[in-house]
Amino acid sequence: MPVLEHFAQTVRRQPQSTALVDSTEAVDYASLWTRVGALSAGLRARHVCRGDAVALCLPRSVDTVAALLAVWQVGAVAVPVDSTLPPARLADMMADAGARLVLHGPDSNRAPDDPSTAQIAADAARQAGLAPDQVLGTDQLAQAPAPGAEVAAMPPAPGAAPELPAPGDPAYVIFTSGTTGRPKGVQVPHSALAQLLASHRATVMPDAPGAQGARARMAHTTGVGFDAALDPVLWAVAGHEVHVVPDQTRRDPEALVAYFRAHRISAWETTPSYVSAVRSATDLDGYLDDPDTPDVTLLLGGEPVDPDLWAWLRRLRRTRSWNLYGPTEAGVDALVAEVAGDPAPELGSPTAAMRAYVLDTRLQPVPAGSIGELWLAGPQLAHGYRGRPGETAARFVPDPFAADGSRMYRTGDLVAARPASGALDGRLRVRMIGRADGQVKIRGHRVEPAEVESLLRSTGVAVQAVVRARQTEQGTVLVAWVVPAAHGERGVDGAGGAGGGDAGVDGDAGGESEDRVRFAVVAALQNRVPAYMVPAAVAVVSEIPLTANGKVDERALPEAQSRSGSGRAPEGPAEQAVAAAFTQVLGVADVSADDSFFDLGGHSFVAQPAIAALNTALGTTLPVRALFQAPTVAGLAALATAGADSVAASLRPVLPLRPDGRGEPLFALHPGNGLAWSYSALADRLDTDRPIMGLQMGGISPEAPAESEPETLAELVDRYVRVIRGIQPDGPYHLVGWSLGGRLAHAIAAALQSAGQRVGLLAVLDAYPAGHSMAGVEDSQALWHAFLGANGVATESGDRLTAASVRDRLQRAGSPLGEVPEDSIDRIVRRFRSIGSLLDATPVPMFEGDLVLFEATRDVPADRPAPESWHRHVSGRVQHHRLAASHDGLLSTAESLRTLTEILQLSLP
């Protein structure tokens, strides 16, 4: 039965049962049907029809599932993409899929420093050559039904439904690593989805035949661009309650297990490595064995299960665990093994619809127990690689054991097989041995090292590159050996000796030059591939050692150096504790103050142990999100130091972003939220010895008495000037301001000049002289709404807000402002109104000198003043720099930050 018909049956059977839960809402099946209908009507209004590709660049929400179902309802092809990938890689996916439309979400729950999916989708679509009107939000789409279209409240009776997609029509495209430097899209038909659902209903679902369970509550924690993310969708279609767990929860093992307890989760699909990471950082065992916990179904896939984890799973008394095996080309899960059925890890037996062959190089079956290559056949097979007929023909070949002309797929996995115990139909139980090629699995993702090699050569960083997988304490990582472009004329060691293996580079290209090459390797890849495909260690060599027959001499490759140690040494107890935590968790030596946790090979699986080690060493209580907010040693140490003095310390008028140094400080003026916290990423990257001081709203800390609101702009500016001159009595002064802080910085610079002081730098980040900052903010409710909007939290016009409810919304959105006391939030909002009103009501002063302006060029509001509006308020030049980011993303987008810091470093005297 087609998946969409299963969905309709479930809606008719249990319309009031909860279908989906996300961080903001729970919807029943009747509501889900209405949402899917509205989205599909909107797609038809946009003339999306059978066979068109629709890219889904969505936050984790109800629409993660609803948009997929809507795309299928109109017969189109869903292309789910992970919004955390670099925009250039997303653009490759959209272009290769031939996307007609790109959908993004409302992002009501994103953290303020994170770019919205609207920004990400627009950026990637532009790079893919799509027009702006081909990028659309799901809320906007749902409000644009086709003329005369009505969304039915309930599904029609069986047989009366509109025509469903044909079984052979493509349902979705999932991208995997390729060998050419671009990801390749695997196109899978609706028939494969139907067979996959039938397989799950017959085996792993708790209400499967012979099982004792009923309706499950399933945790959906898989990345949306991963093919395993389709399994929870099918569980929802089958009538189970699916919880789409938000990013900040699924990345934090402690928060995830707490979520399981609070919501009584009884089913979870994830990778073995993530189970191991959660188990090591939390009391997952306690949850699974707790008598008050419902019986749990645990589904593992994406990578092999190691023997220790397998043995632990078998010891769990109240958990039924399954190992699911299947490449994307075989419709997610093709082999299934119940862990209780065998004392050692195995892939299990083919699902009812699939056939598995273990063949030798001549495509002949190997004897039972012998090693051969695994081939899969059956109706779950993909069509092939979208737009790549040559690669499709190489991996999908005619099945010589079938008489119906069907195909079989070469997995590349080496396995050993034996007859299943008691099986009379010849079915096999399969055990993994290794790979027949260079493909590897990293944190559940399939990776072709050859793709990374190709990218390094094509970007001009290296003329030759070898990339291999290596096992570390943190799991599988990539390691690269590169011959830099400057040394390409020297070629390779064709004699096959080991002489070139440890040569390094010559002359002045010693340690410092090698560090530059390593940095270039990382920089070239970070904007093109996911983080798990960026090598954790890089060796710079003058030639690649070869064997006598011209192959890479693996044994002669020198030890590669981890991406660490190229900056200054950690200073002080806090930085040293952070560096020690990184060394302990990541197994890397010589960690510098400038090293980033993620650049050193860290990832979300090991973020919790790193934070735990740091909190233990310093006695702090930093949350996991601190590591994502400030991933460098220096940045995280600064957060730890600020946190040690309580939240109150981080609300004082001066936030020392870099408290020590030489020369005049750089003063960073707060944006509209009153806090300078967002400058931490800039402070981490700015290569200067001078101190960096964040200037924040005065009187907002709960330890300080409330200040009276200033009556004039001069009085307001004088308060900031007194704080600045208390730190640095005389000029030259260096000021940078973002958003509202940019206008403040300009006014403060003019006031300092009026007092006879010199200003060395005035830099403004996407701020403009205007007289309408507070337009439309007539009452307290409008003010609360404006404040939340300025911090990336969406509201509805009818919402009644208070300081308590605003704080609650900020907490649920994962905003650091959610940790600010209610009284402080109330003070911030009142000061926000005062500053905006005074700036609007007072003539803009003249600054005698140059102004460095950084303009955000994405998602620009229609009423924003032009950059040229500064010319009449500056006597010197306006040095105008355009940044490829939105206003909110200026200090959080990697490309924008890199450009911004480079220009600021050149602009500072």
Side-chain angles (χ1 to χ4, degrees):
M1 182 187 298
V3 167
L4 290 176
E5 181 54 38
H6 270 292
F7 177 46
Q9 281 191 359
T10 300
V11 176
R12 287 192 291 265
R13 184 178 67 248
Q14 52 192 69
Q16 304 307 314
S17 296
T18 300
L20 297 172
V21 179
D22 65 17
S23 60
T24 61
E25 63 178 331
V27 299
D28 59 25
Y29 278 95
S31 300
L32 178 58
W33 177 265
T34 301
R35 178 65 173 177
V36 171
L39 291 171
S40 61
L43 289 169
R44 291 188 182 96
R46 291 275 172 167
H47 308 293
V48 173
C49 55
R50 182 174 176 178
D52 287 340
V54 178
L56 306 177
C57 184
L58 299 169
R60 299 181 66 81
S61 64
V62 164
D63 279 349
T64 301
V65 177
L68 265 174
L69 295 171
V71 170
W72 292 339
Q73 275 195 350
V74 300
V77 186
V79 187
V81 297
D82 186 343
S83 62
T84 65
L85 295 177
R89 192 171 183 85
L90 294 177
D92 287 345
M93 294 175 174
M94 293 174 185
D96 287 356
R100 178 188 176 92
L101 198 66
V102 180
L103 299 184
H104 61 76
D107 295 293
S108 59
N109 195 40
R110 72 180 176 94
D113 291 336
D114 291 342
S116 67
T117 56
Q119 297 171 260
I120 295 165
D123 186 10
R126 178 184 55 79
Q127 294 184 47
L130 276 69
D133 63 359
Q134 291 178 276
V135 182
L136 202 63
T138 49
D139 283 350
Q140 182 183 358
L141 182 72
Q143 296 168 2
E150 293 184 2
V151 178
M154 290 292 289
E163 182 181 356
L164 297 175
D169 285 352
Y172 64 88
V173 173
I174 292 286
F175 280 85
T176 68
S177 179
T179 58
T180 62
R182 289 173 73 99
K184 56 187 178 184
V186 181
Q187 180 173 291
V188 182
H190 281 276
S191 56
L193 270 177
Q195 294 291 350
L196 179 62
L197 175 55
S199 168
H200 274 238
R201 297 194 77 160
T203 53
V204 301
M205 286 186 182
D207 55 353
Q212 302 301 313
R215 208 165 163 261
R217 289 178 175 171
M218 183 180 221
H220 182 350
T221 62
T222 306
V224 295
F226 195 14
D227 64 344
L230 290 162
D231 283 344
V233 176
L234 298 182
W235 281 55
V237 162
H240 298 282
E241 180 178 308
V242 171
H243 289 240
V244 186
V245 180
D247 276 325
Q248 61 266 32
T249 301
R250 73 186 186 104
R251 290 172 177 164
D252 183 340
E254 288 185 347
L256 182 63
V257 174
Y259 187 98
F260 287 178
R261 287 189 183 278
H263 296 274
R264 296 180 57 77
I265 294 298
S266 60
W268 182 30
E269 179 170 4
T270 187
T271 61
S273 56
Y274 195 54
V275 170
S276 296
V278 172
R279 185 181 169 223
S280 67
T282 69
D283 186 27
L284 179 63
D285 302 55
Y287 174 73
L288 295 176
D289 275 339
D290 190 332
D292 292 332
T293 298
D295 290 346
V296 173
T297 299
L298 183 58
L299 309 179
L300 301 178
E303 61 192 358
V305 182
D306 67 64
D308 289 343
L309 181 60
W310 190 275
W312 172 74
L313 293 168
R314 286 172 57 82
R315 291 195 298 270
L316 295 173
R317 299 185 303 275
R318 305 181 61 253
T319 299
R320 195 177 187 190
S321 303
W322 300 82
N323 188 24
L324 308 181
Y325 166 88
T328 305
E329 291 86 344
V332 189
D333 310 319
L335 279 72
V336 178
E338 186 169 8
V339 172
D342 199 293
E346 64 169 339
L347 304 183
S349 298
T351 60
M354 297 297 285
R355 303 183 300 279
Y357 308 127
V358 184
L359 308 179
D360 61 19
T361 55
R362 297 171 299 164
L363 299 187
Q364 295 299 308
V366 302
S370 298
I371 297 175
E373 189 170 353
L374 180 62
W375 294 73
L376 297 173
Q380 275 185 217
L381 285 192
H383 287 153
Y385 304 111
R386 190 173 177 97
R388 299 191 183 189
E391 291 186 51
T392 299
R395 303 294 289 195
F396 295 83
V397 303
D399 183 353
F401 309 102
D404 58 1
S406 58
R407 304 168 304 153
M408 62 180 186
Y409 168 71
R410 181 183 185 181
T411 68
D413 286 325
L414 296 177
V415 300
R418 57 180 173 80
S421 177
L424 302 177
D425 58 0
R427 294 172 71 80
L428 301 175
R429 299 193 78 82
V430 181
R431 197 178 305 279
M432 175 72 80
I433 304 297
R435 286 289 301 177
D437 54 21
Q439 187 186 101
V440 295
K441 285 290 186 80
I442 299 180
R443 305 203 293 277
H445 298 275
R446 200 166 79 188
V447 174
E448 296 276 5
E451 178 181 359
V452 183
E453 294 173 350
S454 177
L455 279 171
L456 287 173
R457 291 190 294 266
S458 66
T459 56
V461 172
V463 291
Q464 294 164 353
V466 171
V467 177
R468 296 290 186 267
R470 294 289 185 264
Q471 291 297 321
T472 70
E473 293 181 2
Q474 291 70 50
T476 305
V477 299
L478 293 183
V479 177
W481 291 263
V482 299
V483 177
H487 295 265
E489 68 276 5
R490 299 185 54 177
V492 298
D493 183 3
D502 59 357
V505 291
D506 294 340
D508 64 350
E512 183 179 348
S513 179
E514 290 188 21
D515 284 340
R516 286 200 297 269
V517 173
R518 291 188 184 95
F519 177 82
V521 166
V522 173
L525 294 174
Q526 280 181 329
N527 291 327
R528 299 293 304 180
V529 300
Y532 57 81
M533 290 179 67
V534 179
V538 178
V540 182
V541 296
S542 58
E543 51 200 7
I544 300 295
L546 303 179
T547 63
N549 60 7
K551 295 183 178 180
V552 174
D553 188 347
E554 306 278 349
R555 292 176 299 179
L557 290 170
E559 182 178 354
Q561 180 178 328
S562 63
R563 296 168 2 219
S564 64
S566 58
R568 67 175 177 85
E571 300 172 354
E575 287 190 358
Q576 290 167 1
V578 175
F582 286 9
T583 296
Q584 173 187 332
V585 173
L586 301 178
V588 295
D590 301 322
V591 176
S592 79
D594 304 317
D595 281 333
S596 164
F597 177 78
F598 301 105
D599 286 348
L600 295 178
H603 49 81
S604 58
F605 288 11
V606 293
Q608 174 64 35
I611 286 293
L614 176 60
N615 285 335
T616 299
L618 295 179
T620 52
T621 57
L622 288 176
V624 170
R625 69 170 179 271
L627 196 46
F628 294 88
Q629 179 185 348
T632 66
V633 169
L636 193 56
L639 281 185
T641 303
D645 293 332
S646 79
V647 172
S650 67
L651 300 176
R652 292 170 184 162
V654 178
L655 180 68
L657 297 164
R658 188 184 295 170
D660 303 315
R662 297 188 302 272
E664 306 94 10
L666 174 65
F667 292 97
L669 272 295
H670 64 82
N673 63 19
L675 305 173
W677 299 358
S678 51
Y679 288 105
S680 60
L682 179 65
D684 289 344
R685 289 163 175 78
L686 204 56
D687 186 16
T688 176
D689 291 335
R690 68 180 72 245
I692 302 177
M693 299 294 178
L695 297 184
Q696 309 191 126
M697 286 181 181
I700 61 173
S701 173
E703 65 185 13
E707 292 183 354
S708 61
E709 294 304 311
E711 297 183 1
T712 65
L713 182 63
E715 180 186 348
L716 171 71
V717 168
D718 183 61
R719 294 182 184 183
Y720 288 99
V721 168
R722 279 187 274 121
V723 171
I724 291 171
R725 298 192 71 177
I727 298 170
Q728 180 190 346
D730 295 300
Y733 295 100
H734 311 297
L735 306 173
V736 59
W738 175 36
S739 191
L740 185 71
R743 297 180 66 190
L744 279 173
H746 176 264
I748 291 167
L752 285 167
Q753 288 182 335
S754 297
Q757 296 294 325
R758 189 161 65 89
V759 175
L761 171 69
L762 173 59
V764 171
L765 279 58
D766 207 42
Y768 307 91
H772 56 268
S773 300
M774 306 305 292
V777 183
E778 290 86 12
D779 56 29
S780 60
Q781 283 301 305
L783 183 61
W784 287 118
H785 282 271
F787 179 73
L788 282 175
N791 286 282
V793 180
T795 61
E796 298 293 334
S797 58
D799 293 345
R800 299 293 297 176
L801 300 173
T802 64
S805 64
V806 166
R807 183 173 188 254
D808 179 64
R809 288 178 183 234
L810 291 166
Q811 286 176 333
R812 285 190 282 113
S815 168
L817 284 169
E819 299 173 6
V820 174
E822 288 178 24
D823 182 56
S824 294
I825 289 179
D826 187 61
R827 296 185 190 186
I828 289 170
V829 172
R830 282 190 281 109
R831 183 60 52 80
F832 169 70
R833 184 176 197 171
S834 293
I835 295 173
S837 299
L838 291 173
L839 285 169
D840 286 353
T842 308
V844 180
M846 173 64 71
F847 172 69
E848 302 294 336
D850 295 341
L851 180 144
V852 182
L853 172 64
F854 297 91
E855 179 195 5
T857 60
R858 296 180 185 162
D859 300 331
V860 178
D863 60 348
R864 193 203 73 182
E868 292 75 20
S869 59
W870 276 116
H871 285 294
R872 62 180 179 273
H873 306 295
V874 175
S875 68
R877 294 182 303 138
V878 175
Q879 300 172 19
H880 179 200
H881 304 279
R882 294 167 55 85
L883 298 182
S886 68
H887 179 84
D888 291 341
L890 281 179
L891 293 175
S892 60
T893 305
E895 181 181 351
S896 168
L897 263 175
R898 184 167 56 252
T899 304
L900 199 158
T901 52
E902 288 174 355
I903 294 170
L904 276 181
Q905 282 166 197
L906 293 173
S907 302
L908 280 166

